[in-house]
Amino acid sequence: SISIPCGFSNSGFPIGLMIGGAPHSDARVIALARAYQSKTVWHLRRPQLLECGAIFRPRMGEGQFEK
């Protein structure tokens, strides 16, 4: 089985999609996960984090702080 990002809850927590398969079907499970990920952007997004009293809002790999 494999877990891949598929969104965020209303509270901002990341949600994962668990894909499982029959024994010895690893290649099929990985292919399905890769196909899903190639059609979405969830793996590029990051949750909103609090750090040192500031709200950290990453933008596709770059961060910005707001006080």
Side-chain angles (χ1 to χ4, degrees), residues 9-58:
S9 70
N10 290 337
S11 302
F13 291 102
I15 299 173
L17 171 65
M18 179 71 74
I19 301 172
H24 309 291
S25 64
D26 299 351
R28 181 178 239 177
V29 170
I30 291 170
L32 180 57
R34 182 179 294 179
Y36 176 84
Q37 187 168 299
S38 72
K39 299 294 183 187
T40 66
V41 295
W42 295 117
H43 62 287
L44 301 174
R45 303 209 178 168
R46 302 292 181 257
Q48 180 177 333
L49 304 174
L50 290 178
E51 188 172 310
C52 300
I55 298 174
F56 183 61
R57 297 179 192 220

